[in-house]
Amino acid sequence: MNSQNDDQPAQRKANIFTGFLLFLVSIVLFITTTPLGFIYGIGYTLVTHFFKGLGGFFLEIAISIDQLGNVIMQHLLNMLWLKKGGYKFGNRDETISSVLGKNKVQNTLTGFGKFIVKILDTIDSNHVLDSIDYYVEPKN
């Protein structure tokens, strides 16, 4: 049995050198290209959709950052926010909010996890339940 839920296959094995090298390249590209892409994206959105398009642009960025956090912090979040047997964090195709929502439904959140859900649901009513993604690509 793997460390993920039964519906989440074990992660593909990768050579440590290749994985680390690709990680470093991705960090360099992110640092050097993100500011330009962000500024251009805001300008493009303002020209094509005016201010009403900015909300969607910012939401897309927030979702992508959320997915990154789900992967980077998976081990810590699984330990701090989930009871044993909970639906695990770590799928690169899913947001932290979606995982929290699934665990809220399954009642597998720790007290700390419930506290985080309360904060998110205060900011955006029913946030974690509305964020549940039922069509997540399996982790592989």
Side-chain angles (χ1 to χ4, degrees):
M1 182 174 206
N2 60 36
S3 63
Q4 296 295 317
N5 293 344
D6 291 336
D7 60 339
Q8 295 178 336
Q11 190 170 8
R12 175 176 69 115
K13 299 292 182 208
N15 176 295
I16 190 167
F17 178 73
T18 303
F20 186 68
L21 187 60
L22 289 172
F23 167 75
L24 290 176
V25 168
S26 71
I27 294 294
V28 169
L29 287 173
F30 179 83
I31 290 170
T32 59
T33 63
T34 298
L36 179 62
F38 181 72
I39 291 166
Y40 182 83
I42 289 175
Y44 178 85
T45 303
L46 284 173
V47 168
T48 59
H49 298 93
F50 303 103
F51 284 103
K52 66 182 179 179
L54 284 179
F57 181 65
F58 291 142
L59 181 60
E60 288 174 353
I61 294 170
I63 289 169
S64 295
I65 292 170
D66 198 344
Q67 289 171 313
L68 176 63
N70 187 26
V71 173
I72 290 175
M73 300 186 311
Q74 65 183 301
H75 305 292
L76 182 62
L77 298 182
N78 286 333
M79 179 184 68
L80 294 176
W81 293 355
L82 299 182
K83 295 177 183 175
K84 188 174 181 175
Y87 179 84
K88 302 288 186 187
F89 291 93
N91 188 321
R92 67 181 179 209
D93 194 41
E94 190 166 23
T95 63
I96 292 170
S97 298
S98 174
V99 177
L100 285 170
K102 289 175 181 179
N103 283 290
K104 181 177 181 179
V105 170
Q106 295 176 2
N107 197 29
T108 50
L109 292 169
T110 64
F112 191 19
K114 290 176 184 176
F115 175 70
I116 298 302
V117 166
K118 190 172 189 172
I119 291 171
L120 292 171
D121 285 348
T122 299
I123 295 168
D124 178 27
S125 181
N126 241 8
H127 179 79
V128 298
L129 295 179
D130 292 343
S131 296
I132 294 175
D133 187 348
Y134 295 100
Y135 305 102
V136 174
E137 181 180 318
K139 182 176 179 179
N140 52 18

